[in-house]
Amino acid sequence: MLETWLPQFAPWFKPRWPRTRTLTLGQRNIFILPSKTALALLGLIAVLFLLGINFQNALVYGVCFWLFALLIVNLLHTWRNLRGLSITAIHIQPCFAGEKAVLELELACPPKQQKFAIKLAWPEEDAVQVNLLTTQTVRVKLSHSTQQRGHFNPPRLHISTHYPTGLAVAWSYLALEITGLVYPAPAPKHQQPYPTNSRDSTHPSGQTLSGGSSDFGGIRSYQAGDSPKQIHWGQYAKTGKLNTKVFVDYASHDLWLDWANLANSGIEPRLSQLCRQVLDAHQAQQQYGLKLPGLVIPPSKGEAHQARCLQALALFGVEHAQE
């Protein structure tokens, strides 16, 4: 508010609202001004005071002083309604670009105090009004729109109250030292064929690959050129016939979501498509891995694995960017 109207005072305002996780409101960071109704009341008091002077009427003087005293007492009560209030940023829930990030806050007041009609808001965004009557702490949630993936640093939060009569407004700001994650907006479902891996139901590990070296797959008749190391000498001792041991490997069932295999051009469209594939693979309860330039996440599944993959997509290329 004031720092917007009077930018030359910005160096004076900034130390009063440092970026912090917790802020306790006090004399240094609470501002108060009469409301429009209070200004109208001051005009009425001035008129009555002039009438009192003109007619030398003590009763009119008394009414003027009484109304002015009520206005001053109201200013003090409005200021005290914010004083001592502590606001702590708890958590920002991750969201997808274009959705609203939800910020969780905890409000606390000193023992034996009550707070009425405390409003927390962002300009043209979500707002909430809170009362602290029977408990010293309360948690609230506020949402703020997002436009792009990456880190989300919420702007300064406006805290105000008009309690008790609306004749004054006391306000402050909270510059939040907290960061949330904004994932890429997922591409429309089935925009591209969902990646699949070939499977062989004959083995739980995947498709059989002959000529391997891992697992014993049986024996066959000896063929010219077979290595002596693969000859089954035990079988030869029993039957007098040469047989060769056969070894096989198995193709993995793990699904790889690979940046290099996407047909999309451009960073954001590819990240959007990978985001959709991560969501689809998680919904199908399939084990999957993620390959990005400079980063490989091994195959796994579950909520934690999905969060890790989505985080990698959100921070791809912007890990050290500052908003």
Side-chain angles (χ1 to χ4, degrees):
M1 295 178 68
L2 287 180
E3 75 277 16
T4 303
W5 303 337
L6 304 174
Q8 62 270 29
F9 291 107
W12 183 78
F13 282 101
K14 287 182 179 180
R16 284 160 172 76
W17 294 298
R19 297 196 69 84
T20 180
R21 195 73 177 253
T22 300
L23 177 68
T24 300
L25 302 181
Q27 184 175 351
R28 283 177 51 84
N29 48 31
I30 297 178
F31 293 86
I32 187 167
L33 282 176
S35 65
K36 293 180 180 179
T37 305
L39 294 177
L41 180 59
L42 283 173
L44 176 62
I45 292 173
V47 171
L48 290 175
F49 186 73
L50 292 176
L51 289 175
I53 293 175
N54 184 57
F55 295 103
Q56 293 294 309
N57 191 313
L59 181 59
V60 176
Y61 284 135
V63 172
C64 289
F65 296 144
W66 177 69
L67 289 176
F68 188 73
L70 285 180
L71 184 58
I72 297 300
V73 170
N74 177 81
L75 288 172
L76 292 175
H77 275 280
T78 304
W79 180 80
R80 289 185 71 250
N81 195 45
L82 279 187
R83 183 179 65 86
L85 181 68
S86 294
I87 306 100
T88 302
I90 303 298
H91 175 66
I92 298 180
Q93 297 178 8
C95 67
F96 297 97
E99 297 181 348
K100 288 198 171 186
V102 178
L103 168 67
E104 185 175 4
L105 298 169
E106 182 178 87
L107 280 68
C109 66
K112 300 182 180 180
Q113 284 193 18
Q114 293 180 327
K115 303 296 179 184
F116 301 88
I118 306 296
K119 183 180 179 181
L120 300 96
W122 284 298
E124 301 180 1
E125 291 286 349
D126 199 5
V128 65
Q129 184 167 293
V130 183
N131 297 307
L132 286 89
L133 305 179
T134 59
T135 60
Q136 264 64 59
T137 62
V138 64
R139 289 197 175 188
V140 298
K141 292 183 177 181
L142 282 166
S143 62
H144 194 287
S145 58
T146 61
Q147 301 298 327
Q148 59 185 13
R149 66 177 177 89
H151 296 292
F152 172 68
N153 298 317
R156 285 190 302 177
L157 185 65
H158 183 243
I159 308 159
S160 63
T161 182
H162 290 78
Y163 177 84
T165 62
L167 293 176
V169 54
W171 79 91
S172 186
Y173 289 101
L174 174 59
L176 297 167
E177 191 178 26
I178 188 172
T179 301
L181 272 179
V182 180
Y183 304 139
K189 202 171 181 65
H190 304 309
Q191 185 185 61
Q192 289 186 352
Y194 184 72
T196 58
N197 286 344
S198 59
R199 296 192 177 193
D200 188 342
S201 59
T202 61
H203 195 281
S205 298
Q207 184 182 14
T208 302
L209 301 177
S210 60
S213 60
S214 299
D215 297 327
F216 179 70
I219 60 174
R220 60 172 173 79
S221 299
Y222 174 80
Q223 297 177 0
D226 287 345
S227 172
K229 295 181 180 180
Q230 292 182 309
I231 295 177
H232 198 308
W233 296 108
Q235 189 72 12
Y236 175 74
K238 292 181 180 179
T239 63
K241 295 182 179 180
L242 289 176
N243 293 282
T244 302
K245 298 177 184 177
V246 177
F247 293 90
V248 297
D249 289 332
Y250 296 95
S252 174
H253 279 178
D254 296 337
L255 173 65
W256 282 101
L257 310 179
D258 195 341
W259 170 282
N261 293 338
L262 297 177
N264 308 62
S265 61
I267 294 178
E268 298 306 323
R270 289 192 175 200
L271 293 176
S272 179
Q273 186 60 38
L274 285 172
C275 181
R276 166 53 59 194
Q277 292 180 0
V278 168
L279 297 178
D280 290 347
H282 175 75
Q283 185 177 12
Q285 298 183 352
Q286 186 172 1
Q287 186 159 293
Y288 61 94
L290 178 64
K291 291 183 179 180
L292 295 173
L295 176 65
V296 175
I297 298 179
S300 186
K301 61 182 179 179
E303 295 291 340
H305 181 64
Q306 177 186 232
R308 183 184 177 191
C309 292
L310 291 176
Q311 178 178 342
L313 296 176
L315 301 182
F316 178 74
V318 296
E319 288 86 346
H320 305 291
Q322 295 295 326
E323 187 167 326

